[in-house]
Amino acid sequence: MPTMNMIQALNSAMDVMMQRDDKVVIFGEDVGYFGGVFRATANLQKKYGKTRVFDTPIAEGGILGTAIGMGAYGLRPVVEVQFADYIYPAFDQLVSEAARLRHRSAGEFWAPLTVRSPCGGGIFGGQTHSQSPEGIFTHVCGLKTVMPSNPHDAKGLLIAAIEDDDPVIFFEPKRLYNGPFDGHHDRPLKSWAGHPSAEVPDGHYRIELGKASIVRPGQDVTVLCYGTMVHVCLAAAEESGVDAEVIDLRTLLPVDIDAIEASVRRTGRCVIVHEATRTGGYGAELSAIVQEHCFWHLQAPITRVTGWDTPYPHALEWEYFPGPARVVAALKSAMEAA
Amino acid sequence: MPTMNMIQALNSAMDVMMQRDDKVVIFGEDVGYFGGVFRATANLQKKYGKTRVFDTPIAEGGILGTAIGMGAYGLRPVVEVQFADYIYPAFDQLVSEAARLRHRSAGEFWAPLTVRSPCGGGIFGGQTHSQSPEGIFTHVCGLKTVMPSNPHDAKGLLIAAIEDDDPVIFFEPKRLYNGPFDGHHDRPLKSWAGHPSAEVPDGHYRIELGKASIVRPGQDVTVLCYGTMVHVCLAAAEESGVDAEVIDLRTLLPVDIDAIEASVRRTGRCVIVHEATRTGGYGAELSAIVQEHCFWHLQAPITRVTGWDTPYPHALEWEYFPGPARVVAALKSAMEAA
Amino acid sequence: MSKKAKAPQRLQLHVPEPKHRPGDAGNFDGLQIATPGAMPRPATDAPEASLREFPYGLIRVLDDSGKAVGEWTPALKVDVLLKGLRAMALTRAFDERMQRAQRQGKTSFYVKSTGEEAVSVAQAMALDPDDMLFPSYRQQGLLIARDWSILDMMCQLFSNSADRLKGRQLPVMYSVRDKNFFSISGNLGTQYPQAVGWAMASAIQGDTRIAASWIGDGTTAEADFHHALTFAAVYRAPVILNVVNNQWAISSFQGIAGGECATFAARAIGYGIPGLRVDGNDFLAVYAATQWAAERARHNHGPTLIELYTYRAAAHSTSDDPSAYRPGDEAEHWPLGDPIARLKQHLIALGKWSDEQHKALVAEVDAEVKKALREAEAIGTLGSTKADPATMFDDVFKELPVHLQRQRDELLGAMGA
Amino acid sequence: MSKKAKAPQRLQLHVPEPKHRPGDAGNFDGLQIATPGAMPRPATDAPEASLREFPYGLIRVLDDSGKAVGEWTPALKVDVLLKGLRAMALTRAFDERMQRAQRQGKTSFYVKSTGEEAVSVAQAMALDPDDMLFPSYRQQGLLIARDWSILDMMCQLFSNSADRLKGRQLPVMYSVRDKNFFSISGNLGTQYPQAVGWAMASAIQGDTRIAASWIGDGTTAEADFHHALTFAAVYRAPVILNVVNNQWAISSFQGIAGGECATFAARAIGYGIPGLRVDGNDFLAVYAATQWAAERARHNHGPTLIELYTYRAAAHSTSDDPSAYRPGDEAEHWPLGDPIARLKQHLIALGKWSDEQHKALVAEVDAEVKKALREAEAIGTLGSTKADPATMFDDVFKELPVHLQRQRDELLGAMGA
Ligand SMILES: Cc1ncc(C[n+]2csc(CCOP(=O)(O)OP(=O)(O)O)c2C)c(N)n1
Ligand SMILES: Cc1ncc(C[n+]2csc(CCOP(=O)(O)OP(=O)(O)O)c2C)c(N)n1
Ligand SMILES: [Mg+2]
Ligand SMILES: [Mg+2]
């Protein structure tokens, strides 16, 4: 099986879907001739032509607005928003339109679109190239929200997202494009080569939306995470000596409630980790769910390890980033509580 | 002391501030000559002139964009977004600009603006005149979010918001404009006349942002709520026979953590009530906070009573609205848990 | 830098204000109205650079005597004109009754299109039935001209058990896929780039269907307007973008949207697309301009912006009272008259119609509305019957996810209790 | 409806494409460039309706021999020209060194303005020092022309302990209140309506200061562009809205932003404001056009849109490699030349400058940059020194709320541990 990094896996997912379904079209800023600033759509215009893969004006609201119209026509648009930080100009079209079209028309019209967008920090991108706004979208009913943590999942989830008849926001942790990253920014860069999740089949396969993956089984604490933080949590589990069960949620909405419940009921402890700012973030919802479903099993307070409630600061990004040390501390304190 | 309904109280707050500070300007769709579709700015243009109170083009993004520039100049803009549902076109200016200007410029520039916007349902407004999007804004660091539940608080909080040097999103539960509403939609309408919170001083006073109000002291369960739900919760407390302590949060961000902690530690039980959709709503953050701070005191799971995760449906709004019956059920189940 | 020499002038903010307010008499003196028949009709493949005067003119066909004059006169058979007249009259009768129904509490909300009937009716008729329409809330005439069931529309207005939208949408926010009529949004302007996207999709697929969309003068200020024009221009999308300039946006006159700075049709110039400005109360002119734009789009010459110059004769909606912000009799002074009266006059001038026939038509369409109303009322009005509450959870997603199943069960439990 | 007669044509999507791509030789044949001196200079209070040809022309002053010709020639003393020349040369030297510093890891990111120096320098000089500037990331020349400290700029680029923005902002996103230079945002276009708002505020307060803002050709497609033009037009805001058309938006040529459909200056027409199109590599033309717009604004005649026609000679940023999407030598073929070379030629033609003097100037500004660089490096480069981490929590709000105090304590605890 070929080894792919995350960009290659995403490119392969789009390639497979363009080939299978002539209703799939791809557009966004710089995605056409150039193939995207992160190269995720490289060669696709050459292969499928200018009317199926094309550059757009710099207007995220226009990209989403036209994508919805195309979806209503019967196409399956896959659009790129160059950075998740730039999704806000499209917010009204996403929230008021894409998310509600099927419901408000009682099933007459819908918008089967996929919005790909690189998110997360750790690349010295400063406050407008580092955000993780998933917590805003998980509050909007009618949108599905996905965030993969490795090439294999990225391809399978992206194919599932494109084939899905509902709008899907597909966040790609850009720090993982070229290799796994466990938060030890002072250590040498790793590439995906040799990583088991980088073995990616060439052809079509799907990873069902809404299903989590237990990436490290354990007995003592359940760790809920996604995206880059999966790797940070795995490292923290090893470093802490705590037998943590690390769950990669993969899809945030709809979330895999059963997997979460089953794990926390078993471990009785739960740590939630994300890179986004804390207050009102997706971790709050996870905390509320766990508490509602597993209250009588909890032996320690649920803790959140997250980015701070500040913009993502350029030069202080490693102080902002919820790295392994902070996760280790949370795991230990979960174990100590009683 | 004069009796005012909520519209009159808000109007009075703006009047007082226009009078005191010539840096205060008011604008938005239909707010000038006409005085706003809910009449909140009635007579202000006449009193203070067209260049301090004026109509704008229908472009919420433009309203916020220009308001930020005016704020940077040194004015204190108070803008109206006609319905909270129409705040999304201004989302980028709010989130990327107003919220971050002070931080990104290290204090060189800031945007001391107040965004007033009617929110909430119960008026057969359908899905685009009924939303409560506060949970989206409380996730954005750099914004303050306020929602009053009565005329007295509305005036004092709005004055505090206008005087505040940070951007404040001021949500006004439109169902409360003309009278308190406890969710019993089948009973006769009430007006504010005779309600103690409708006694509103004519002049200047502030209610500090970030301070909750215990509107009903109680021993058994802490109820966290705001806006219209305060009245629903008060009714439910009476009807349930449960000795609930009802806390009107008033400011959602920064939230009065101390008041919440003190109450829940005492009662050991907590019910959270809001009208917005559940998943990822502000109730999730409240639940997470309570759980983090009061875990060892909790005798029952924290429950959320909220709008469903669907658009606000026009004809089914009373099935959607989290009315007193659902709150009563939650109070009882909190008491039964053990 | 000699400018320093003079004492600097104090800046001042200009805030546009309509000429007349409540208390004044309605008055449009000084409004320059072009002569009917005066504008030339360019070829539908004329380059945009040759069309830059059109946004400043006004395409008019019907003159004061009801004669059709000039190059824009469309070649329409009398039965087409009669169908148009009937659809406009039916629209007006429908509006009257539905406003009354709202007053009686049968529905929560209504929006009339009085005075603007020619816009939707003539435009629907000038397009093909399979062209896709992306309307705002004031184009009910499109559905009526496409012969959609007014009973079905009433059921939506009454949110009753036969409401095809299952009580989910505010009244007037129709969605009728069968008639290629897109779901109306409460958020102004959002349908504009969506129409462009639909048209782009049609072009991508090598289809032949075009799209059309409508917004009001006030809505041109929204971002969606700019996005729609930009994308339509860049990709030469086969779309007709209509701006219904009815002079008012709730309480704001069109000057607040920039209408005193330039015409709305002139916005097109900056995007390099043709902008036509049309007498919106002239059925023939509206038809002809729409046909021109449709032909242009169908031949891959791209989009057209059409400003339909008209007047909102009624209140903004049943929640509005215009006497608070404009002269009460302003509508009567509107110099472009009433679209139904003008088409009627034209048909009479042609010798194909009479006052008696018109009276009969008005009675007939009113009877049709009343009949449908009785049927709709029998099914139910607001609150008397409605969709099963459990259906609220459907269509949020194509399939019901676990968390919504649980919420539905919670609701059913609460309702059972 | 005779259109049914013909077989309908299949629709097709038009996707704009630049004439030349990597592998082709750089070539601008066919590009129509107006003759210098040809455009008339209208009075600054000329009504917009009289100015609608300007967006299609190109205001040029310097001819091929370096002579200043035509009505737009500004009356500038030689010392002003020399100051402009120096500021442009300093900007270019600064850009070169900072790009190198990025390559050496002293900063994470840099954006050059090579080839566009006349835009910021001439515009800064044509405005008053207390006029407020709302720039994008490619107008470092504004700060340099306003004599701001390049050492201070370097400290921001290096995010060192003297960075006035405390390491919070991406390099190049300066904020310098002392020079009336607004905080730069990473989100494209947002500063445009903010500038309009600032100008409106100045007008509301009866002040005399005006505002100016800059965006790129690509950014004109954003909503903020439309909002800014609409509000500026409606309220006649004293603001100059500049579009720097440098032909590229990262990898997208200006046709993707609609530049093949109409000029960017033509966008102004639809809002009823004057649109000037200016040779952006001609210091004198840029100065003159800016002065015209400023005078217009100062006398309450409202906003002007200026398109500065230029070419992005370097990569988009240090993250970009233009050889992947345009001919490698395209910059050399740009028909409007280089702004520094052209002003130099003009000064030589005036007899006020020489090649030797120019060489000395280049050496002098480079030495100035090097000196500042050494000082900045002594303070620190990316990661070697930086703001105290606890300061991250400051300025989120004016005062630190409890939850941020707790988070700060958590961070300090974690760092201590
Ligand atoms: C995004 C958004 N902002 C504000 C509103 C509130 N609103 C509803 S209709 C209207 C006026 C629209 O005026 P215009 O576009 O001229 O259309 P008309 O009603 O005259 O047909 C406003 C401001 C809305 N529905 N959506
Ligand atoms: C809202 C938003 N969308 C996308 C981007 C990413 N981006 C940064 S620069 C750029 C190109 C801008 O081109 P142009 O406006 O022509 O300015 P130039 O770089 O040529 O000066 C893009 C797409 C962004 N910063 N903000
Ligand atoms: Mg209107
Ligand atoms: Mg550019």
Side-chain angles (χ1 to χ4, degrees), chain B residues 29 58 60 82 86, chain C residues 137-138 186-188 216-219 222 246 248-250 316:
Chain B
E29 297 158 19
I58 303 173
E60 294 75 12
Q82 203 163 82
Y86 304 139
Chain C
Y137 47 76
R138 214 183 290 281
N187 290 56
L188 292 172
D217 47 304
T219 304
E222 287 286 7
N246 62 7
W248 291 92
I250 310 183
H316 170 73

mmCIF file of all heavy atoms in Angstrom, chain B residues 29 58 60 82 86, chain C residues 137-138 186-188 216-219 222 246 248-250 316, ligand 1:
data_model
loop_
_atom_site.group_PDB
_atom_site.id
_atom_site.type_symbol
_atom_site.label_atom_id
_atom_site.label_comp_id
_atom_site.label_asym_id
_atom_site.label_seq_id
_atom_site.Cartn_x
_atom_site.Cartn_y
_atom_site.Cartn_z
ATOM 1 N N GLU B 29 -30.076 49.820 10.844
ATOM 2 C CA GLU B 29 -31.164 49.808 9.872
ATOM 3 C C GLU B 29 -32.448 50.311 10.535
ATOM 4 O O GLU B 29 -32.875 49.774 11.557
ATOM 5 C CB GLU B 29 -31.346 48.384 9.328
ATOM 6 C CG GLU B 29 -30.101 47.903 8.576
ATOM 7 C CD GLU B 29 -29.986 46.391 8.473
ATOM 8 O OE1 GLU B 29 -30.994 45.690 8.658
ATOM 9 O OE2 GLU B 29 -28.864 45.909 8.210
ATOM 10 N N ILE B 58 -28.512 48.478 4.365
ATOM 11 C CA ILE B 58 -28.737 47.138 4.923
ATOM 12 C C ILE B 58 -27.493 46.307 4.670
ATOM 13 O O ILE B 58 -27.357 45.631 3.653
ATOM 14 C CB ILE B 58 -29.982 46.494 4.303
ATOM 15 C CG1 ILE B 58 -31.204 47.396 4.526
ATOM 16 C CG2 ILE B 58 -30.232 45.119 4.931
ATOM 17 C CD1 ILE B 58 -32.454 46.931 3.809
ATOM 18 N N GLU B 60 -25.010 44.546 7.525
ATOM 19 C CA GLU B 60 -24.557 44.410 8.910
ATOM 20 C C GLU B 60 -23.035 44.434 8.992
ATOM 21 O O GLU B 60 -22.453 44.965 9.946
ATOM 22 C CB GLU B 60 -25.128 43.130 9.525
ATOM 23 C CG GLU B 60 -26.655 43.144 9.686
ATOM 24 C CD GLU B 60 -27.429 42.940 8.389
ATOM 25 O OE1 GLU B 60 -26.811 42.562 7.372
ATOM 26 O OE2 GLU B 60 -28.661 43.166 8.381
ATOM 27 N N GLN B 82 -30.800 44.497 13.508
ATOM 28 C CA GLN B 82 -32.257 44.466 13.645
ATOM 29 C C GLN B 82 -32.797 43.204 14.313
ATOM 30 O O GLN B 82 -33.748 43.266 15.094
ATOM 31 C CB GLN B 82 -32.895 44.669 12.272
ATOM 32 C CG GLN B 82 -34.288 45.196 12.313
ATOM 33 C CD GLN B 82 -34.711 45.756 10.963
ATOM 34 O OE1 GLN B 82 -35.106 45.021 10.078
ATOM 35 N NE2 GLN B 82 -34.603 47.060 10.806
ATOM 36 N N TYR B 86 -29.509 38.289 12.186
ATOM 37 C CA TYR B 86 -28.869 38.982 11.072
ATOM 38 C C TYR B 86 -27.498 39.515 11.467
ATOM 39 O O TYR B 86 -26.934 40.390 10.808
ATOM 40 C CB TYR B 86 -29.783 40.103 10.556
ATOM 41 C CG TYR B 86 -31.141 39.576 10.158
ATOM 42 C CD1 TYR B 86 -32.309 40.252 10.457
ATOM 43 C CD2 TYR B 86 -31.248 38.336 9.519
ATOM 44 C CE1 TYR B 86 -33.545 39.737 10.103
ATOM 45 C CE2 TYR B 86 -32.482 37.805 9.179
ATOM 46 C CZ TYR B 86 -33.635 38.514 9.471
ATOM 47 O OH TYR B 86 -34.848 37.997 9.132
ATOM 48 N N TYR C 137 -38.960 37.665 -0.653
ATOM 49 C CA TYR C 137 -40.304 37.428 -0.105
ATOM 50 C C TYR C 137 -41.393 38.214 -0.811
ATOM 51 O O TYR C 137 -42.548 38.136 -0.409
ATOM 52 C CB TYR C 137 -40.312 37.788 1.386
ATOM 53 C CG TYR C 137 -39.647 39.127 1.627
ATOM 54 C CD1 TYR C 137 -40.301 40.308 1.326
ATOM 55 C CD2 TYR C 137 -38.327 39.189 2.060
ATOM 56 C CE1 TYR C 137 -39.662 41.525 1.466
ATOM 57 C CE2 TYR C 137 -37.683 40.406 2.210
ATOM 58 C CZ TYR C 137 -38.359 41.573 1.920
ATOM 59 O OH TYR C 137 -37.726 42.764 2.037
ATOM 60 N N ARG C 138 -41.052 39.040 -1.821
ATOM 61 C CA ARG C 138 -42.082 39.887 -2.399
ATOM 62 C C ARG C 138 -42.367 39.513 -3.863
ATOM 63 O O ARG C 138 -42.866 40.323 -4.630
ATOM 64 C CB ARG C 138 -41.693 41.374 -2.269
ATOM 65 C CG ARG C 138 -42.884 42.302 -2.052
ATOM 66 C CD ARG C 138 -42.474 43.772 -1.988
ATOM 67 N NE ARG C 138 -41.734 44.144 -0.811
ATOM 68 C CZ ARG C 138 -42.273 44.375 0.389
ATOM 69 N NH1 ARG C 138 -43.579 44.256 0.557
ATOM 70 N NH2 ARG C 138 -41.512 44.693 1.414
ATOM 71 N N GLY C 186 -35.102 34.031 5.053
ATOM 72 C CA GLY C 186 -35.372 35.249 5.809
ATOM 73 C C GLY C 186 -34.194 36.208 5.800
ATOM 74 O O GLY C 186 -34.348 37.392 6.061
ATOM 75 N N ASN C 187 -33.006 35.698 5.515
ATOM 76 C CA ASN C 187 -31.813 36.554 5.492
ATOM 77 C C ASN C 187 -31.702 37.211 4.130
ATOM 78 O O ASN C 187 -31.548 36.526 3.117
ATOM 79 C CB ASN C 187 -30.565 35.710 5.773
ATOM 80 C CG ASN C 187 -30.526 35.243 7.198
ATOM 81 O OD1 ASN C 187 -31.467 34.609 7.663
ATOM 82 N ND2 ASN C 187 -29.469 35.566 7.904
ATOM 83 N N LEU C 188 -31.758 38.501 4.126
ATOM 84 C CA LEU C 188 -31.772 39.242 2.863
ATOM 85 C C LEU C 188 -30.562 38.936 1.998
ATOM 86 O O LEU C 188 -29.424 38.950 2.484
ATOM 87 C CB LEU C 188 -31.784 40.744 3.152
ATOM 88 C CG LEU C 188 -33.047 41.313 3.781
ATOM 89 C CD1 LEU C 188 -32.807 42.771 4.171
ATOM 90 C CD2 LEU C 188 -34.231 41.206 2.835
ATOM 91 N N GLY C 216 -34.353 43.478 -3.196
ATOM 92 C CA GLY C 216 -34.864 44.846 -3.163
ATOM 93 C C GLY C 216 -33.743 45.866 -3.228
ATOM 94 O O GLY C 216 -32.563 45.536 -3.088
ATOM 95 N N ASP C 217 -34.106 47.117 -3.429
ATOM 96 C CA ASP C 217 -33.140 48.218 -3.451
ATOM 97 C C ASP C 217 -32.296 48.230 -2.180
ATOM 98 O O ASP C 217 -31.069 48.361 -2.218
ATOM 99 C CB ASP C 217 -33.864 49.565 -3.612
ATOM 100 C CG ASP C 217 -35.058 49.715 -2.672
ATOM 101 O OD1 ASP C 217 -35.952 48.851 -2.718
ATOM 102 O OD2 ASP C 217 -35.091 50.669 -1.876
ATOM 103 N N GLY C 218 -32.955 48.053 -1.038
ATOM 104 C CA GLY C 218 -32.222 48.090 0.220
ATOM 105 C C GLY C 218 -31.182 46.984 0.305
ATOM 106 O O GLY C 218 -30.066 47.188 0.805
ATOM 107 N N THR C 219 -31.523 45.838 -0.214
ATOM 108 C CA THR C 219 -30.658 44.660 -0.090
ATOM 109 C C THR C 219 -29.400 44.757 -0.941
ATOM 110 O O THR C 219 -28.444 44.011 -0.715
ATOM 111 C CB THR C 219 -31.473 43.406 -0.427
ATOM 112 O OG1 THR C 219 -32.625 43.380 0.430
ATOM 113 C CG2 THR C 219 -30.693 42.131 -0.216
ATOM 114 N N GLU C 222 -26.025 44.622 0.826
ATOM 115 C CA GLU C 222 -25.472 43.419 1.460
ATOM 116 C C GLU C 222 -24.296 42.849 0.658
ATOM 117 O O GLU C 222 -24.246 42.976 -0.571
ATOM 118 C CB GLU C 222 -26.545 42.331 1.606
ATOM 119 C CG GLU C 222 -27.588 42.593 2.679
ATOM 120 C CD GLU C 222 -27.071 42.388 4.120
ATOM 121 O OE1 GLU C 222 -25.857 42.161 4.313
ATOM 122 O OE2 GLU C 222 -27.898 42.490 5.037
ATOM 123 N N ASN C 246 -38.221 49.508 -5.192
ATOM 124 C CA ASN C 246 -39.572 49.997 -4.871
ATOM 125 C C ASN C 246 -39.497 51.201 -3.943
ATOM 126 O O ASN C 246 -40.426 51.508 -3.225
ATOM 127 C CB ASN C 246 -40.420 48.865 -4.272
ATOM 128 C CG ASN C 246 -39.842 48.351 -2.961
ATOM 129 O OD1 ASN C 246 -38.883 48.912 -2.434
ATOM 130 N ND2 ASN C 246 -40.433 47.288 -2.426
ATOM 131 N N TRP C 248 -38.367 51.952 -1.170
ATOM 132 C CA TRP C 248 -38.309 51.859 0.280
ATOM 133 C C TRP C 248 -37.765 50.522 0.743
ATOM 134 O O TRP C 248 -37.978 49.490 0.098
ATOM 135 C CB TRP C 248 -39.712 52.069 0.900
ATOM 136 C CG TRP C 248 -40.173 53.479 0.736
ATOM 137 C CD1 TRP C 248 -40.925 53.977 -0.298
ATOM 138 C CD2 TRP C 248 -39.874 54.592 1.607
ATOM 139 N NE1 TRP C 248 -41.108 55.326 -0.130
ATOM 140 C CE2 TRP C 248 -40.482 55.737 1.033
ATOM 141 C CE3 TRP C 248 -39.157 54.729 2.798
ATOM 142 C CZ2 TRP C 248 -40.381 57.001 1.615
ATOM 143 C CZ3 TRP C 248 -39.055 55.979 3.383
ATOM 144 C CH2 TRP C 248 -39.667 57.099 2.793
ATOM 145 N N ALA C 249 -37.070 50.550 1.849
ATOM 146 C CA ALA C 249 -36.606 49.353 2.547
ATOM 147 C C ALA C 249 -37.105 49.541 3.977
ATOM 148 O O ALA C 249 -36.504 50.296 4.745
ATOM 149 C CB ALA C 249 -35.092 49.252 2.504
ATOM 150 N N ILE C 250 -38.201 48.890 4.298
ATOM 151 C CA ILE C 250 -38.949 49.218 5.505
ATOM 152 C C ILE C 250 -39.070 50.747 5.557
ATOM 153 O O ILE C 250 -39.687 51.318 4.660
ATOM 154 C CB ILE C 250 -38.369 48.587 6.796
ATOM 155 C CG1 ILE C 250 -38.129 47.050 6.589
ATOM 156 C CG2 ILE C 250 -39.354 48.771 7.956
ATOM 157 C CD1 ILE C 250 -37.625 46.318 7.847
ATOM 158 N N HIS C 316 -44.531 47.687 4.375
ATOM 159 C CA HIS C 316 -43.479 46.698 4.178
ATOM 160 C C HIS C 316 -44.021 45.293 4.425
ATOM 161 O O HIS C 316 -43.779 44.367 3.663
ATOM 162 C CB HIS C 316 -42.315 46.982 5.121
ATOM 163 C CG HIS C 316 -41.304 45.880 5.132
ATOM 164 N ND1 HIS C 316 -40.444 45.661 4.088
ATOM 165 C CD2 HIS C 316 -41.049 44.906 6.045
ATOM 166 C CE1 HIS C 316 -39.681 44.612 4.355
ATOM 167 N NE2 HIS C 316 -40.030 44.132 5.532
HETATM 168 C C1 LIG E 1 -29.549 40.121 6.673
HETATM 169 C C2 LIG E 1 -30.828 40.809 7.011
HETATM 170 N N1 LIG E 1 -30.793 42.035 7.569
HETATM 171 C C3 LIG E 1 -31.936 42.664 7.911
HETATM 172 C C4 LIG E 1 -33.160 42.080 7.704
HETATM 173 C C5 LIG E 1 -34.447 42.786 8.126
HETATM 174 N N2 LIG E 1 -35.225 43.248 6.954
HETATM 175 C C6 LIG E 1 -36.191 42.509 6.411
HETATM 176 S S1 LIG E 1 -36.850 43.203 5.039
HETATM 177 C C7 LIG E 1 -35.822 44.560 5.165
HETATM 178 C C8 LIG E 1 -35.895 45.654 4.133
HETATM 179 C C9 LIG E 1 -35.558 45.179 2.748
HETATM 180 O O1 LIG E 1 -35.730 46.201 1.828
HETATM 181 P P1 LIG E 1 -35.588 45.966 0.269
HETATM 182 O O2 LIG E 1 -34.363 45.168 -0.017
HETATM 183 O O3 LIG E 1 -35.688 47.272 -0.409
HETATM 184 O O4 LIG E 1 -36.816 45.028 -0.132
HETATM 185 P P2 LIG E 1 -38.370 45.364 -0.079
HETATM 186 O O5 LIG E 1 -38.853 44.979 1.282
HETATM 187 O O6 LIG E 1 -38.546 46.793 -0.379
HETATM 188 O O7 LIG E 1 -38.995 44.476 -1.120
HETATM 189 C C10 LIG E 1 -35.004 44.448 6.287
HETATM 190 C C11 LIG E 1 -34.019 45.440 6.708
HETATM 191 C C12 LIG E 1 -33.149 40.793 7.109
HETATM 192 N N3 LIG E 1 -34.274 40.130 6.840
HETATM 193 N N4 LIG E 1 -31.981 40.192 6.776
#
